[in-house]
Amino acid sequence: MTADLQSVIEKLVSGGDITREEIILLLENRNEEIKTYLAQKASAVARKYYGNKVFVRGLIEFTNYCKNDCYYCGIRCSNKNASRYRLTREEILECASHGYDLGFRTIVLQGGEDAYFKDDLIADIVKSIKSEHPDCAVTLSIGEKSFESYKKFFDAGADRYLLRHETADAEHYAKLHPSNLSSENRKQCLFNLKKIGFQTGAGFMVGSPYQTTGNIADDLLFLKKLDPEMIGIGPFIPHKETPFADMTAGTLELTLFLLSIIRLMLPTVLLPATTALGTIDPRGRELGILAGANVVMPNLSPVSVRKKYDLYDNKICTGEEAAECMNCLKRRIESIGYEIVTDRGDNVRYVKEH
Ligand code: 5AD
Ligand code: FES
């Protein structure tokens, strides 16, 4: 190993800031030894702040209508073969209560950008969940909205918001999205969310089409600058009815390495081992935890609509009831010496500050 590479690794492990060039050096020269070392250090950092606890989030995918046309996504508006659904307000509240009974203390409402769900309706749903289950955190993941809309959701009681930045590079962004969407607006949304007071989540797909090592370095530096409470990364997986049907999927190997780097760069961040990671490898989520992740997000949506929230091919857990996924995950997490906890699971930084 060169002295340069060695010093980058030591800097990362000791919590120092690494530069774009250093990240690229690390990515281009990674080997088994480095990956194992960083995974050990990263999982030790996660254990320092969160013990051997893994937080669960109950995900309700409440609509797959979407006005956007992102080239990678199976529910893009141009996919005429997508079978569209939206849950009613009552169905959403029922799912949330079922999740509560199963032990979930964070409910994530995720959906496409669906004009049917006007701000007031979203605010009303958030308010209802919060008043029925005051000890639950509510997370929204419903895309790009105005500052005023975000503020409305926050005032209604929403605690957190997930909006992956997808890629920090404007040119790369333009290769993944039609021209009405911009990386600039995406980032502005994230800064607005933070300003309003949301615990905010950003992130990107690993191995998305046209992604370069330089892009990944920029993504990591953007995350460091934004300093979000949560970061979602998972491998890109092609969907057969999108323009990227024939593109290559992201790898387990690179995703795990990036999870370790992210944990070391942002020590207290809440970092899920995503469903996409579990989809490209049967033990993907367990390996994600061992690489430094500390969150899993099983699905709470009714089984009747599960298959329809079809962002990418072969998504796991589309036939299982929420209780089955909860038990399955419990077993998986315990098999690697961790435990699932019933807790809101806030970022420790947030817990200290509030
Ligand atoms: N493969 C992997 N992840 C995807 N997402 C959307 N489409 C795909 C795909 N084909 C991710 C995006 C989005 C999140 C909800 O799902 O990063 O932000
Ligand atoms: Fe859903 Fe294992 S987590 S079946």
Side-chain angles (χ1 to χ4, degrees):
M1 198 183 299
T2 64
D4 276 0
L5 186 54
Q6 188 69 48
S7 81
V8 173
I9 292 171
E10 289 317 316
K11 205 199 285 188
L12 182 61
V13 165
S14 59
D17 285 341
I18 57 175
T19 65
R20 185 173 196 275
E21 287 64 38
E22 290 173 331
I23 295 171
I24 293 173
L25 184 79
L26 183 60
L27 290 172
E28 287 181 347
N29 294 284
R30 66 185 189 272
N31 58 30
E32 284 310 317
E33 187 195 352
I34 297 175
K35 286 186 278 186
T36 308
Y37 179 67
L38 290 188
Q40 264 168 18
K41 292 291 182 187
S43 58
V45 169
R47 279 194 305 274
K48 171 177 165 193
Y49 291 104
Y50 297 104
N52 69 338
K53 298 189 178 4
V54 172
F55 299 117
V56 275
R57 318 298 194 197
L59 185 62
I60 305 177
E61 297 162 336
F62 67 94
T63 173
N64 72 349
Y65 282 87
C66 190
K67 70 175 168 60
N68 290 335
D69 212 16
C70 309
Y71 303 146
Y72 45 83
C73 183
I75 64 167
R76 64 200 299 265
C77 64
S78 295
N79 182 4
K80 300 298 172 216
N81 292 325
S83 158
R84 304 287 171 176
Y85 74 92
R86 50 173 76 94
L87 301 183
T88 63
R89 177 184 178 281
E90 286 63 38
E91 286 170 324
I92 296 170
L93 297 181
E94 219 169 273
C95 274
S97 294
H98 182 50
Y100 189 87
D101 294 339
L102 289 172
F104 291 94
R105 292 298 176 269
T106 291
I107 299 297
V108 183
L109 301 178
Q110 184 172 88
E113 292 193 18
D114 178 357
Y116 172 87
F117 286 94
K118 299 208 175 18
D119 293 353
D120 288 339
L121 178 52
I122 294 288
D124 174 65
I125 293 169
V126 170
K127 252 186 221 153
S128 306
I129 297 178
K130 293 291 288 192
S131 76
E132 282 178 34
H133 313 291
D135 53 339
C136 257
V138 173
T139 305
L140 292 174
S141 177
I142 54 176
E144 295 179 23
K145 311 273 172 183
S146 67
F147 187 96
E148 292 67 37
S149 300
Y150 286 151
K151 183 78 172 60
K152 234 184 222 176
F153 304 152
F154 188 76
D155 292 341
D159 303 270
R160 310 186 186 130
Y161 203 102
L162 304 176
L163 183 75
R164 289 190 178 176
H165 67 282
E166 310 297 359
T167 170
D169 180 84
E171 273 175 42
H172 184 217
Y173 199 93
K175 291 181 180 160
L176 303 179
H177 303 94
S179 60
N180 66 322
L181 297 172
S182 74
S183 121
E184 199 189 346
N185 192 56
R186 196 85 179 172
K187 290 178 187 168
Q188 188 57 55
C189 286
L190 283 163
F191 287 107
N192 289 348
L193 288 163
K194 284 207 67 161
K195 188 162 175 207
I196 290 167
F198 280 103
Q199 295 182 51
T200 302
F204 61 94
M205 291 179 287
V206 177
S208 63
Y210 313 108
Q211 184 181 60
T212 63
T213 307
N215 291 149
I216 296 176
D218 290 335
D219 285 328
L220 297 179
L221 293 173
F222 171 73
L223 289 171
K224 183 78 191 169
K225 182 174 107 189
L226 178 70
D227 196 22
E229 283 75 20
M230 305 164 287
I231 294 178
I233 66 162
F236 160 72
I237 303 173
H239 183 288
K240 56 188 175 321
E241 274 141 356
T242 63
F244 290 164
D246 297 323
M247 298 288 193
T248 315
T251 63
L252 174 75
E253 181 269 328
L254 182 55
T255 309
L256 295 177
F257 191 51
L258 290 172
L259 285 170
S260 298
I261 296 177
I262 289 171
R263 167 64 63 206
L264 292 165
M265 288 178 74
L266 294 104
T268 66
V269 81
L270 292 159
L271 188 61
T274 56
T275 304
L277 192 57
T279 298
I280 54 163
D281 187 286
R283 289 193 69 234
R285 288 170 297 177
E286 292 92 309
L287 296 171
I289 302 296
L290 293 171
N294 67 337
V295 174
V296 285
M297 300 175 70
N299 205 311
L300 279 183
S301 317
V303 171
S304 56
V305 303
R306 290 271 181 105
K307 277 196 174 42
K308 300 181 181 174
Y309 203 80
D310 183 25
L311 308 186
Y312 47 81
D313 290 338
N314 307 315
K315 190 173 167 208
I316 52 168
C317 301
T318 55
E320 282 78 10
E321 294 289 347
E324 294 177 75
C325 285
M326 188 62 155
N327 287 331
C328 169
L329 276 171
K330 251 191 198 136
R331 253 188 297 114
R332 287 171 180 269
I333 299 304
E334 284 168 9
S335 80
I336 55 166
Y338 285 74
E339 89 183 278
I340 283 193
V341 287
T342 296
D343 184 323
R344 273 174 54 119
D346 289 296
N347 188 308
V348 285
R349 176 177 80 190
Y350 183 88
V351 175
K352 278 189 201 124
E353 286 169 2
H354 290 75

